[in-house]
C-alpha cells in the first residue's frame, strides 16, 4: 500500500460521484505544516448505510484542510470565493461543508466539471499560485473497474503525470491503494482502478508539480477530516437552511465547545459511576454560596412576561401553525422528545420555523381541502433543541458527527434571530427551552454558546433567553447554580416531570431499594415529585424568573364524551394544583386542552402576567435532600409491566417511522414517557421484582418478560390491524425495546440506540438544483 509521509502544502479539490451532472467544487485551503491527528470518525459514527445500496458506510474524507498559516499573498481567486452565492444554492450537498473556511481568503477555488461518467475533468488548476501543490479528492462510488480522466489545464507536460500525479482509491476496508496510470498525454491522464467489486470511494488524486508525491497511508487521510461535511439529503428546500454561512456558524460553535461538551458528558459518566457505587445525589457544598447568595436573574423580557399556558409539539408544518394559533401564550417547538430526529424531520422543521418566524408559513391539506395559515395573534415561539448527548450523524465537523443541539440551535438562531427579535421578541430573543441537563456546568456551556451567538449576530448580551427543564434528578440539586450560570439569559425553569421520573430510575439503577411502582402511580402527589415542584417554584421566584409547570399527559378523546370529560377533569385538577402552588404557567400537549388550562390559570391569577413576586414559597426553603429523594410508593403489577411493554414497543415503532409523539391509549406518548416504560421494565427485570395485584408473588424475570412481549405483540397486532402491523416497524421496535429492557447494564437513552436505525447518509448524487 502507498503511503504519503510528506505533508507539504497542498490543496484539496473534491468532486461529485454523480457524474451525469455538471458539478462545481472548491479547493479549500493550503497547509504548510503537518496536520493535527484527528480521531477516525468511524469510531464515533453510528453504523449506517448508504441509501439505496445498503452497503456498510465507509466514511469518505471531508475535503477541507485546516489552514495552519495564512498565505502571504491573497489568493488570486479570492474574487471567485466572494462571488459564491450566499445561500449556497449552487453548491452540491457534499461540499457545502467546505465553505465555512472561506472567509479569510485563505483558500483558492477551482471549478471543475464532470461531463460524462466515468470521465472526470479537473479545471482551474492553472490559476494556482506558483508553487502550490495539489491533492484532489474525488469522492466517487466505484462500481468496479473504471477509468477516469483528469484534465488539468495549464499543466501541459506528460512527464508531469508520471512523476507528480498519483491516484489512490479507498477500499472498503478503509485502506488506500495506489491505482495505475494507464496513459498520460498532454493535459490528460487515464487511470485504471483496480478491478474490484468495491462500492467504496473516494479516489484521492495527489498532484505536486514541484515535488515528487511521497507515499502515504491512512494517517494522511486524517487530514481530510478537517472541515464540515454534510451527508444529509440536500435539495432546494433544505438549501435555504444549509447555507454556507449557517453551517459555518454551526462549525464554529462545534469547534469552540466540543471539548467542553465532551468533558460535561464525561462528568455525567463519572457521576453515574458514583451513584452506581451507592452515592446519592445531593446539594454541592462547594456552591453553597450561590444557593445562599442574594442575586437575581436579568429582568424578564416584556414579550414573555405572561406565559400562563404553553403548548408543545414537534416542528411538523401543520402542527406548527396549529400550535401558534392555539390560543396559548407560548409554543415550544420541539426538536427533542416530540420529534424523531431523522434528517428529513430536522431540516423540514428548520424550514417550518423559518417560515413561521417570517410569518409566511402555510400548509395546504389537499385531502381535506384545507389551507392552514397564521392568525393575527399567535403564540410566542420557544425552540427546544436536542440534549447534549445526541449526535447529528448527517453533519460531520472535522471528522466527527456534530452535536445535535448545536446543529438545531445554530441553524435556527442563524436564520431567525433578526426577524424574531423584530416580530416576536420585541427586541429580545430568540427564546429557547433547554433539556436534560444534569449539572450547572452544562448550563454554563449553553450560556457561552448564547454569548457566542449574540456576538456573531451583533446583538446585545442577554438578548437570547432560555428556560431550562429540570428533568433529571441530579439537576434538582443544581437549580440555583443553573440559573446562576444563565442569569443573563434565563427565563426560568420548568418541571419536566416525565423525564424527571425516568431520571429517578436511571440515577438509582444500581439501588434495588428504590424501585418505582407502576408508571401510572408516579404522579405529582408523590412526596419526591411535590418537593421537586415546590422547590423549583421557590428557587425561580427568589431569582426573579418563571417557574413553569409540567405536562399533563391526557389528550382529548374524540369518540367518547364521558371519557373526554374525565380526561379534561384530570387536566384541570393538575393545572389547579400547579397554579395554586405558585407556578407561572403550564404545558399542554394538544390545542384541545388550551381553553381548559387558560381558564384555570386565569381564574386563579386574574390579570397578573405571572406570580413571580406573589408566590415566594419561602415555606419550600426547608425542603431537604431526603424530601427530594423519597422513594415513591405504590404497587407493581402485571398490568403495569404489560402496559409498559405495549406502549414502549408502539412508541419505538412510531419513532422509527418518523413520529416522535403519538397518542396511545388516550395519552400523549413521547420519548420521555416511553423512557419511563423502558427503564421501569429494565429495573423490574434486573431486580426480579415481586409483583402485587393480579400477579401477586410472581417474580419478574427475563423469561416472564419474553412471554409478556410475545403476548403484547399479538395484542398490538390485533389493535392496529394486520396490515398496519406488517407495514410498520413493530418487529424492529420490539427487538430494540426487548434488548434494552434486558440489557445487563442500562442504556443511557432509548433514542441513542434507535438513532442508528434512522440515519440515512447520502454519499451519492448531489441535490438537483
Ligand atoms: C414529556 C415532554 O417532553 S412533553 C413535550 C413533548 N411532547 C409533545 O410536545 C407532544 C405534543 N402533542 C402531540 O404531538 C399530539 O397532540 C399527539 C401526537 C399526542 C396527538 O396528536 P393527534 O393524533 O394529531 O391528535 P388529534 O388527531 O386529536 O389532533 C387534532 C388536531 O390538533 C392538532 N394537534 C394535536 N396536537 C397538537 C400540538 N401539540 N400542536 C399543534 N397541533 C396539534 C393536530 O395536528 C390536528 O390538527 P387538524 O385538526 O388541523 O388536522
Ligand atoms: O420534557 C418534559 C418532560 O416532562 O419530560
Amino acid at each position: 500500500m502507498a503511503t504519503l509521509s510528506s505533508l507539504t502544502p497542498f490543496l484539496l479539490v473534491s468532486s461529485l460521484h454523480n457524474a451525469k451532472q455538471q458539478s462545481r467544487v472548491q479547493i479549500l485551503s493550503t497547509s504548510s505544516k503537518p496536520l493535527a491527528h484527528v480521531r477516525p470518525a468511524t469510531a464515533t459514527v453510528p453504523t449506517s448505510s448508504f441509501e439505496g445500496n445498503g452497503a456498510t458506510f465507509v466514511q469518505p474524507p471531508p475535503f477541507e484542510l485546516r489552514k495552519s498559516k495564512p498565505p502571504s499573498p491573497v489568493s488570486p481567486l479570492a474574487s471567485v470565493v466572494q462571488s459564491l452565492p450566499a445561500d449556497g444554492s449552487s453548491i452540491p450537498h457534499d461540499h457545502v461543508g467546505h465553505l465555512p473556511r472561506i472567509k479569510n481568503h485563505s483558500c483558492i477555488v477551482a471549478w471543475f466539471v464532470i461531463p460524462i461518467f466515468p470521465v472526470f475533468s479537473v479545471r482551474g488548476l492553472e490559476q494556482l499560485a506558483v508553487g502550490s501543490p495539489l491533492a484532489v479528492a474525488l469522492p466517487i462510488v466505484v462500481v468496479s473497474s473504471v477509468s477516469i480522466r483528469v484534465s488539468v489545464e495549464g499543466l501541459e507536460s506528460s512527464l508531469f503525470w508520471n512523476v507528480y500525479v498519483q491516484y489512490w482509491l479507498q477500499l472498503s476496508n478503509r485502506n488506500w491503494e495506489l491505482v495505475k496510470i494507464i496513459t498520460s498525454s498532454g493535459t490528460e491522464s487515464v487511470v485504471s482502478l483496480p478491478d474490484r467489486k468495491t462500492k467504496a470511494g473516494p479516489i484521492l488524486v495527489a498532484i505536486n508539480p514541484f515535488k515528487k508525491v511521497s507515499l502515504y497511508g491512512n494517517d494522511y487521510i486524517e487530514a481530510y477530516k478537517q472541515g464540515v461535511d454534510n451527508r444529509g439529503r440536500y435539495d432546494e428546500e433544505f438549501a435555504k437552511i444549509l447555507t454556507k454561512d449557517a453551517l459555518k456558524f454551526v462549525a464554529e460553535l462545534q469547534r469552540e465547545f466540543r471539548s467542553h461538551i465532551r468533558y460535561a458528558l464525561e462528568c455525567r459518566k463519572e457521576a453515574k459511576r458514583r451513584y452506581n457505587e451507592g452515592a446519592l445525589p445531593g446539594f454541592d457544598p462547594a456552591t453553597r454560596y450561590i444557593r445562599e447568595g442574594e442575586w437575581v436573574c436579568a429582568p424578564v423580557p416584556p414579550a414573555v412576561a405572561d406565559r400562563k399556558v404553553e403548548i408543545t409539539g414537534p416542528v411538523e408544518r401543520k402542527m406548527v401553525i396549529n400550535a401558534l394559533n392555539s390560543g396559548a401564550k407560548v409554543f415550544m417547538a420541539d426538536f427533542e422528545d416530540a420529534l424523531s430526529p431523522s434528517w428529513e424531520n430536522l431540516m423540514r422543521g428548520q424550514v417550518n420555523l423559518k417560515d413561521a418566524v417570517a410569518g409566511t408559513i402555510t400548509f395546504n391539506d389537499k385531502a381535506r381541502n384545507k389551507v392552514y395559515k397564521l392568525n393575527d395573534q399567535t403564540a410566542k415561539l420557544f425552540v427546544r433543541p436536542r440534549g447534549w448527548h445526541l449526535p447529528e450523524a448527517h453533519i460531520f465537523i472535522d471528522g466527527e458527527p456534530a452535536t445535535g443541539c448545536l446543529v438545531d440551535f445554530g441553524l435556527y438562531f442563524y436564520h431567525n434571530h433578526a426577524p424574531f427579535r423584530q416580530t416576536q421578541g420585541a427586541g429580545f430573543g430568540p427564546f429557547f427551552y433547554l433539556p436534560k441537563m444534569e449539572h450547572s456546568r452544562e448550563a454554563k456551556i449553553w450560556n457561552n454558546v448564547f454569548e457566542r451567538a449574540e456576538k456573531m449576530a451583533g446583538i446585545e448580551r442577554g438578548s437570547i433567553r432560555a428556560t431550562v427543564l429540570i428533568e433529571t434528578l441530579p439537576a434538582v440539586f443544581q437549580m440555583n447554580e443553573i440559573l446562576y450560570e444563565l442569569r443573563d439569559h434565563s427565563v426560568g425553569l420548568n418541571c419536566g416531570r416525565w423525564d424527571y421520573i425516568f431520571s429517578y430510575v436511571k440515577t438509582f439503577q444500581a439501588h434495588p431499594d428504590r424501585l418505582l411502582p407502576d408508571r401510572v402511580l408516579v404522579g405529582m402527589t408523590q412526596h419526591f415529585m411535590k418537593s421537586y415542584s415546590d422547590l423549583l417554584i421557590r428557587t425561580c421566584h427568589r431569582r426573579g424568573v418563571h417557574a413553569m409547570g409540567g405536562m399533563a399527559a391526557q389528550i382529548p378523546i374524540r369518540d367518547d364524551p364521558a371519557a373526554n370529560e374525565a380526561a379534561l377533569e384530570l387536566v384541570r385538577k393538575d393545572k389547579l394544583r400547579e397554579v395554586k402552588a405558585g407556578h407561572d404557567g403550564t404545558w399542554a400537549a394538544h390545542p384541545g386542552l388550551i381553553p381548559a388550562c387558560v381558564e384555570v390559570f386565569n381564574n386563579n391569577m386574574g390579570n397578573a402576567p405571572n406570580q413571580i413576586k406573589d408566590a415566594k414559597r419561602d415555606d419550600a426553603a426547608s425542603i431537604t435532600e431526603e424530601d427530594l429523594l423519597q422513594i415513591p410508593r405504590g404497587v407493581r403489577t402485571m398490568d403495569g409491566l404489560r402496559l409498559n411493554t405495549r406502549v414502549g414497543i408502539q412508541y419505538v415503532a412510531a419513532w422509527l417511522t418518523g413520529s416522535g409523539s403519538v397518542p396511545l391509549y388516550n395519552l400523549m406518548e413521547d420519548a420521555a414517557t416511553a423512557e419511563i416504560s423502558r427503564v421501569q421494565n429494565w429495573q423490574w427485570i434486573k431486580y426480579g421484582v415481586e409483583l402485587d395485584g393480579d400477579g401477586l408473588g410472581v417474580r419478574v424475570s427475563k423469561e416472564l418478560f419474553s412471554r409478556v412481549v410475545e403476548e403484547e405483540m399479538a395484542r398490538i397486532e390485533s389493535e392496529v390491524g394486520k396490515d398496519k402491523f406488517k407495514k410498520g416497524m413493530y418487529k424492529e421496535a420490539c427487538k430494540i425495546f426487548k434488548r434494552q429492557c434486558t440489557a445487563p447494564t442500562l442504556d443511557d437513552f432509548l433514542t441513542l440506540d434507535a438513532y442508528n436505525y434512522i440515519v440515512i447518509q447520502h454519499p451519492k448524487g448531489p441535490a438537483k438544483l
Side-chain angles (χ1 to χ4, degrees):
M1 197 204 324
T3 58
L4 176 74
S5 53
S6 148
L7 294 171
T8 52
F10 57 92
L11 298 166
L12 292 181
V13 176
S14 55
S15 94
L16 292 175
H17 48 268
N18 185 344
K20 290 207 174 106
Q21 252 179 325
Q22 289 218 329
S23 307
R24 292 185 279 189
V25 171
Q26 285 74 47
I27 295 178
L28 286 162
S29 66
T30 59
S31 171
S32 59
K33 71 174 192 194
L35 293 141
H37 176 76
V38 181
R39 193 154 52 95
T42 42
T44 55
V45 185
T47 314
S48 51
S49 52
F50 287 170
E51 195 190 50
N53 66 13
T56 303
F57 173 57
V58 178
Q59 184 182 310
F63 313 104
E64 178 186 354
L65 286 181
R66 194 184 285 280
K67 174 94 188 60
S68 54
K69 197 172 106 193
S72 27
V74 169
S75 152
L77 288 188
S79 59
V80 178
V81 176
Q82 307 264 300
S83 66
L84 284 172
D87 64 359
S89 58
S90 69
I91 296 154
H93 80 283
D94 298 40
H95 307 292
V96 283
H98 302 171
L99 298 174
R101 288 178 184 272
I102 282 171
K103 191 178 110 209
N104 61 4
H105 304 279
S106 64
C107 52
I108 296 176
V109 171
W111 302 103
F112 80 94
V113 174
I114 304 169
I116 46 158
F117 186 80
V119 178
F120 296 87
S121 172
V122 181
R123 303 200 348 223
L125 306 186
E126 75 282 7
Q127 298 181 66
L128 297 178
V130 170
S132 299
L134 172 73
V136 184
L138 304 174
I140 67 168
V141 173
V142 178
V143 184
S144 63
S145 173
V146 291
S147 296
I148 59 169
R149 177 173 300 175
V150 176
S151 152
V152 182
E153 291 173 16
L155 298 173
E156 311 274 304
S157 160
S158 62
L159 182 69
F160 163 82
W161 293 107
N162 296 334
V163 179
Y164 297 117
V165 181
Q166 291 188 352
Y167 300 82
W168 284 264
L169 164 70
Q170 190 176 34
L171 305 174
S172 47
N173 64 5
R174 299 184 72 241
N175 287 334
W176 291 84
E177 187 164 302
L178 190 65
V179 296
K180 204 169 147 202
I181 300 175
I182 300 172
T183 59
S184 57
S185 66
T187 61
E188 292 183 357
S189 173
V190 176
V191 184
S192 169
L193 301 179
D195 187 5
R196 242 188 225 110
K197 294 248 180 299
T198 173
K199 287 184 176 165
I203 302 280
L204 179 77
V205 184
I207 307 171
N208 184 341
F210 303 100
K211 196 167 177 196
K212 196 165 174 174
V213 179
S214 311
L215 299 179
Y216 64 91
N218 283 344
D219 52 341
Y220 171 75
I221 302 310
E222 298 297 328
Y224 288 85
K225 292 181 182 150
Q226 299 293 310
V228 184
D229 190 7
N230 171 32
R231 296 170 185 195
R233 193 175 68 75
Y234 182 82
D235 63 13
E236 254 173 282
E237 197 189 21
F238 294 178
K240 290 184 218 155
I241 300 302
L242 296 163
T243 64
K244 61 179 182 180
D245 289 335
L247 284 169
K248 175 184 173 199
F249 175 55
V250 172
E252 282 168 4
L253 293 178
Q254 182 76 29
R255 288 179 180 132
E256 189 162 337
F257 297 107
R258 61 187 158 200
S259 54
H260 301 267
I261 297 167
R262 209 170 286 148
Y263 176 71
L265 294 180
E266 284 302 315
C267 289
R268 283 190 189 178
K269 278 194 206 147
E270 173 55 22
K272 178 165 102 175
R273 195 191 54 72
R274 279 188 282 109
Y275 302 144
N276 284 353
E277 283 175 4
L280 302 179
F283 295 107
D284 183 352
T287 48
R288 168 178 247 135
Y289 72 100
I290 293 177
R291 290 191 298 281
E292 292 182 356
E294 288 305 322
W295 51 270
V296 288
C297 295
V300 171
V304 284
D306 185 344
R307 300 168 63 184
K308 283 194 196 90
V309 180
E310 302 187 337
I311 188 167
T312 70
V315 285
E316 194 246 303
R317 198 161 182 89
K318 183 181 75 173
M319 285 174 101
V320 168
I321 303 173
N322 280 340
L324 287 168
N325 288 343
S326 66
K329 293 284 181 196
V330 164
F331 165 42
M332 189 209 71
D334 203 5
F335 283 102
E336 210 232 356
D337 282 351
L339 190 82
S340 167
S342 67
W343 179 249
E344 305 294 314
N345 279 351
L346 293 165
M347 288 305 113
R348 284 213 189 97
Q350 290 282 353
V351 171
N352 298 340
L353 294 187
K354 189 165 188 271
D355 293 346
V357 173
T360 57
I361 188 168
T362 57
F363 176 74
N364 189 355
D365 185 342
K366 290 194 183 118
R368 290 157 69 188
N369 195 22
K370 186 172 173 188
V371 177
Y372 292 74
K373 58 186 173 62
L374 293 179
N375 293 343
D376 293 339
Q377 284 282 328
T378 56
K380 294 277 186 303
L381 188 62
F382 276 57
V383 170
R384 178 163 74 170
R386 284 167 282 179
W388 289 122
H389 60 286
L390 282 170
E392 176 44 67
H394 299 92
I395 295 188
F396 274 64
I397 297 174
D398 302 341
E400 289 184 334
T403 304
C405 60
L406 293 183
V407 174
D408 302 338
F409 167 82
L411 294 177
Y412 172 73
F413 178 84
Y414 187 84
H415 290 296
N416 299 293
H417 65 84
F420 185 96
R421 286 157 52 76
Q422 239 178 11
T423 60
Q424 292 235 352
F428 283 90
F431 303 134
F432 294 92
Y433 257 104
L434 303 176
K436 294 197 177 35
M437 287 196 247
E438 294 190 5
H439 194 276
S440 58
R441 72 173 71 83
E442 300 174 27
K444 186 176 182 152
I445 304 176
W446 271 118
N447 194 65
N448 291 342
V449 168
F450 292 164
E451 287 185 1
R452 179 74 183 69
E454 286 162 346
K455 206 165 149 202
M456 181 281 294
I459 59 180
E460 239 175 87
R461 186 156 166 258
S463 296
I464 298 173
R465 292 304 177 97
T467 297
V468 172
L469 287 135
I470 297 300
E471 54 183 357
T472 66
L473 193 63
V476 83
F477 300 99
Q478 291 268 319
M479 292 192 292
N480 277 293
E481 290 83 341
I482 286 171
L483 286 177
Y484 186 75
E485 292 298 352
L486 280 159
R487 60 196 178 278
D488 293 330
H489 293 106
S490 177
V491 270
L493 304 176
N494 168 299
C495 278
R497 62 166 93 159
W498 301 104
D499 259 319
Y500 192 75
I501 298 168
F502 156 48
S503 174
Y504 188 93
V505 179
K506 198 156 86 164
T507 308
F508 292 130
Q509 58 187 273
H511 297 232
D513 55 326
R514 290 176 178 274
L515 303 177
L516 240 57
D518 279 3
R519 187 186 127 167
V520 291
L521 300 176
V522 192
M524 294 309 293
T525 49
Q526 292 277 359
H527 185 75
F528 83 111
M529 295 296 278
K530 183 177 179 322
S531 307
Y532 142 68
S533 154
D534 288 346
L535 188 60
L536 184 143
I537 298 166
R538 141 111 179 141
T539 308
C540 289
H541 290 180
R542 189 164 165 225
R543 307 305 179 190
V545 286
H546 292 95
M548 302 302 296
M551 178 66 87
Q554 291 77 18
I555 48 177
I557 305 170
R558 241 178 282 149
D559 48 6
D560 185 342
N564 187 49
E565 188 41 44
L568 267 179
E569 199 40 43
L570 285 175
V571 174
R572 283 192 203 102
K573 214 171 136 192
D574 184 53
K575 302 308 166 193
L576 188 62
R577 172 194 59 76
E578 287 185 330
V579 72
K580 281 188 176 297
H583 278 297
D584 302 290
T586 191
W587 272 14
H590 191 289
L593 303 175
I594 302 297
C597 300
V598 168
E599 191 184 318
V600 173
F601 268 77
N602 281 347
N603 285 350
N604 287 276
M605 278 171 60
N607 290 333
N610 55 58
Q611 314 195 69
I612 296 173
K613 290 207 166 72
D614 305 329
K616 286 290 177 199
R617 291 301 311 268
D618 286 336
D619 58 306
S622 58
I623 288 172
T624 61
E625 290 174 347
E626 289 69 35
D627 291 319
L628 292 162
L629 297 179
Q630 199 193 74
I631 301 170
R633 303 210 171 96
V635 291
R636 290 176 273 272
T637 68
M638 184 65 95
D639 277 352
L641 181 69
R642 286 189 180 282
L643 187 63
N644 279 344
T645 306
R646 213 157 57 239
V647 164
I649 292 172
Q650 289 184 84
Y651 178 75
V652 176
W655 197 91
L656 292 175
T657 47
S659 298
S661 54
V662 281
L664 287 174
Y665 309 109
N666 298 327
L667 294 179
M668 178 280 296
E669 295 287 344
D670 69 2
T673 59
E675 282 287 27
I676 303 173
S677 296
R678 171 182 74 98
V679 295
Q680 184 165 60
N681 275 8
W682 179 89
Q683 188 188 48
W684 290 7
I685 295 166
K686 172 97 179 167
Y687 297 111
V689 156
E690 207 174 293
L691 295 176
D692 306 296
D694 280 355
L696 191 65
V698 173
R699 276 198 181 276
V700 180
S701 63
K702 283 189 186 169
E703 293 67 36
L704 175 76
F705 178 59
S706 272
R707 283 210 309 278
V708 165
V709 167
E710 223 173 275
E711 287 166 18
E712 294 310 316
M713 280 291 274
R715 180 165 168 185
I716 293 170
E717 184 174 10
S718 80
E719 282 175 0
V720 303
K722 276 195 182 333
D723 198 41
K724 184 175 170 197
F725 188 81
K726 209 164 141 200
K727 287 190 189 136
M729 292 193 70
Y730 294 94
K731 289 200 173 126
E732 292 82 352
C734 179
K735 208 169 129 199
I736 295 171
F737 188 74
K738 201 171 163 191
R739 188 202 65 71
Q740 292 209 348
C741 291
T742 53
T745 53
L746 183 65
D747 281 19
D748 284 345
F749 293 97
L750 166 66
T751 47
L752 264 177
D753 183 20
Y755 185 55
N756 293 322
Y757 292 77
I758 63 167
V759 172
I760 300 176
Q761 292 173 326
H762 284 251
K764 57 179 177 182
K768 296 202 174 23
L769 297 171

